[in-house]
Amino acid sequence: MSVGSAEEVLQLNAVSELMDLLLIDVEIDAEDGRSKRDDSLCSRNVLRKQRRWEKQLAAKKSKRREEKQRRKLSREQESGTSAEHPQFTKRVLKAITKERLAEAQSTGRKLCIDLSMTACMSDKEISRLAGQLRRLYGSNKKATRPFHLFLTDLREDSRLYRECLRMNDGFLNYMMEITEKSCLDLFLPETVVYLTPDAEEALESVDDDTVYVLGGLVDESIQKKLSLLRARDLSVRTLRLPIDEYMVKKSNVKNFHSKILAINQVFDILLMFCETGSWTRALQAWFPLSKGFVIPADSPALLPSTQTHSEDSQQN
């Protein structure tokens, strides 16, 4: 091979290598562009998922705090009962509880659960109501001074009655009155007070001579003022829990504030008020934080242990 031919071959090889390098650079640039676009899309998706996860985590933390506080109060109530009778066995304590409930049926304050509105409820709502009735009865069993409870307008052929039998062990042995009659079939209208969140006047005290009525209603569709309309049909006085008088709105992400409570939550508030005489303590202990209301931090009756609980919830 001549010298000229060798030089030409070297030049061709150099050009070929240069083209290969340029092609690699173009491919790398194209891949980088695609990678940047993919990274941008992934970043937005990751951020969106992370925000959703953080909201869910905050909601779970808030719910766990509420449950922890309720379990603590429940343990305190149970330990209080045990402290009163430290030498008694569970069997004896059960007998004491039964005796208290029997006494309440003779001399206790009267409270009715009006179950006349179940026809407008879905099967899911009926199941939730049955669970609320179980929890309400459980709270009454633990109370130092139980209420005399009435389940009114509850027919044996109703969906709710069947669901209570299915979900609540020993339902037929509950120490409460179960009747198909209305509260006005049992008590004089002038002695009845219907508790509804839509009432204008606030409840100030719980009297022995008054019959209190809670509307047995679980309403996920938010049909407004059903319990108020029911009370007007009965032509009885209406009152509400003193939420506006003792609580303030708490800022939250969803800007959600509600005064509508489950019947067992209202009952727990009533029980604690009867035991302590303090609406502040009762609302602070049992009003759900998720409803968006808290006791003001400067309230003189604020419990120290739960004050920290409230402050933690505001930070989330």
Side-chain angles (χ1 to χ4, degrees):
M1 181 183 295
S2 65
V3 175
S5 298
E7 291 178 352
E8 289 177 357
V9 170
L10 290 173
Q11 290 176 354
L12 288 173
N13 289 337
V15 169
S16 176
E17 290 177 0
L18 180 61
M19 292 299 293
D20 288 341
L21 290 173
L22 289 173
L23 180 60
I24 290 172
D25 287 342
V26 170
E27 290 176 348
I28 290 174
D29 289 342
E31 290 177 358
D32 286 346
R34 287 194 299 271
S35 177
K36 288 179 180 178
R37 287 195 299 273
D38 292 342
D39 288 345
S40 178
L41 289 173
C42 288
S43 297
R44 286 199 295 270
N45 289 334
V46 169
L47 287 173
R48 189 162 50 247
K49 290 179 180 179
Q50 184 175 353
R51 284 194 295 267
R52 186 167 63 246
W53 178 80
E54 288 175 349
K55 288 181 181 179
Q56 292 173 348
L57 182 62
K60 288 180 180 179
K61 284 183 177 179
S62 177
K63 187 174 182 180
R64 281 198 297 269
R65 279 193 295 271
E66 290 180 23
E67 291 299 325
K68 184 178 179 180
Q69 180 66 15
R70 290 173 186 173
R71 285 195 298 269
K72 180 181 177 182
L73 288 169
S74 179
R75 286 195 300 270
E76 288 175 353
Q77 290 176 346
E78 290 177 355
S79 63
T81 302
S82 299
E84 292 176 7
H85 311 285
Q87 75 279 19
F88 292 159
T89 63
K90 289 184 178 180
R91 183 176 181 180
V92 174
L93 290 174
K94 186 176 180 180
I96 292 173
T97 298
K98 188 174 181 180
E99 184 178 346
R100 281 180 178 171
L101 291 172
E103 184 179 354
Q105 289 184 310
S106 301
T107 61
R109 298 184 181 101
K110 298 176 177 61
L111 185 136
C112 299
I113 311 298
D114 175 17
L115 300 171
S116 64
M117 295 174 282
T118 56
C120 63
M121 294 165 57
S122 66
D123 289 341
K124 180 181 177 181
E125 291 167 339
I126 290 289
S127 294
R128 288 183 58 189
L129 179 56
Q132 291 175 14
L133 291 174
R134 180 182 65 250
R135 289 188 286 274
L136 185 151
Y137 181 68
S139 294
N140 200 48
K141 285 174 62 179
K142 296 175 184 176
T144 304
R145 187 182 175 189
F147 277 81
H148 183 187
L149 298 178
F150 297 79
L151 301 186
T152 62
D153 295 276
L154 181 58
R155 301 191 317 273
E156 291 187 8
D157 62 349
S158 66
R159 290 182 298 159
L160 178 60
Y161 189 89
R162 291 193 295 270
E163 195 67 1
C164 284
L165 291 177
R166 185 183 72 84
M167 291 182 59
N168 304 342
D169 292 338
F171 176 70
L172 293 180
N173 296 321
Y174 280 9
M175 295 187 69
M176 60 168 66
E177 308 289 340
I178 301 176
T179 176
E180 297 184 3
K181 295 181 178 179
S182 162
C183 59
L184 292 190
D185 294 328
L186 304 174
F187 307 104
L188 297 174
E190 57 268 25
T191 66
V192 174
V193 168
Y194 208 113
L195 299 179
T196 167
D198 299 305
E200 295 182 1
E201 187 180 353
L203 176 66
E204 296 181 357
S205 61
V206 178
D207 304 319
D208 292 347
D209 298 328
T210 301
V211 180
Y212 297 94
V213 181
L214 301 180
L217 180 66
V218 175
D219 183 19
E220 294 181 347
S221 62
I222 314 299
Q223 303 175 59
K224 294 183 178 180
K225 300 185 177 181
L226 285 180
S227 58
L228 180 63
L229 294 174
R230 170 60 176 165
R232 287 176 177 173
D233 288 341
L234 295 173
S235 299
V236 296
R237 185 184 178 193
T238 59
L239 294 174
R240 58 174 172 79
L241 291 179
I243 298 168
D244 292 333
E245 287 73 15
Y246 291 89
M247 307 189 82
V248 295
K249 289 184 178 181
K250 176 192 69 174
S251 60
N252 56 70
V253 177
K254 295 183 179 180
N255 193 30
F256 174 76
H257 303 89
S258 175
K259 302 172 188 175
I260 300 174
L261 304 178
I263 55 172
N264 58 295
Q265 293 169 340
V266 176
F267 185 70
D268 285 331
I269 292 171
L270 290 176
L271 272 180
M272 179 161 271
F273 172 74
C274 291
E275 292 179 1
T276 65
S278 170
W279 283 117
T280 298
R281 295 184 64 181
L283 291 167
Q284 183 186 7
W286 293 106
F287 194 94
L289 292 173
S290 59
K291 296 291 183 177
F293 287 86
V294 294
I295 298 293
D298 58 353
S299 176
L302 193 69
L303 297 177
S305 60
T306 317
Q307 183 175 359
T308 303
H309 171 71
S310 299
E311 289 172 350
D312 291 342
S313 68
Q314 288 175 343
Q315 291 173 359
N316 291 315

